[in-house]
Amino acid sequence: MNAEQARQVDAVLRQLGIPGVVAPEDPENMAGTWRVYDTADPTTRRDVTADALASVAAKFPEEKPGSGPMRGFIIPPKDG
């Protein structure tokens, strides 16, 4: 994820009470790829991006097919 997506992920994690620190993979490159870590310390942190995403998904159980009308929108990314 990029820096803008990281800000959005950070806000969602906070709203849902899911622990994690969203930070760039390379602390010297703020424009590079970002991940979710267990701590802010770049020397001891552990990547927990997959766990954080699974926790977010668990907060929103999947609807069962046929449970009612489903509507939605596909919003393309701003940079694409």
Side-chain angles (χ1 to χ4, degrees), residues 13-14 16-22 36-39 48 51-53 55:
L13 292 178
R14 288 178 192 218
L16 297 175
I18 298 171
V21 176
V22 183
V36 181
Y37 298 99
D38 59 344
T39 66
V48 295
D51 295 337
L53 294 176
S55 295

Side-chain angles (χ1 to χ4, degrees), residues 28-55:
E28 301 294 320
N29 182 11
M30 300 298 279
T33 303
W34 290 56
R35 312 281 300 165
V36 181
Y37 298 99
D38 59 344
T39 66
D41 183 356
T43 60
T44 62
R45 68 186 183 190
R46 185 175 60 89
D47 184 352
V48 295
T49 303
D51 295 337
L53 294 176
S55 295

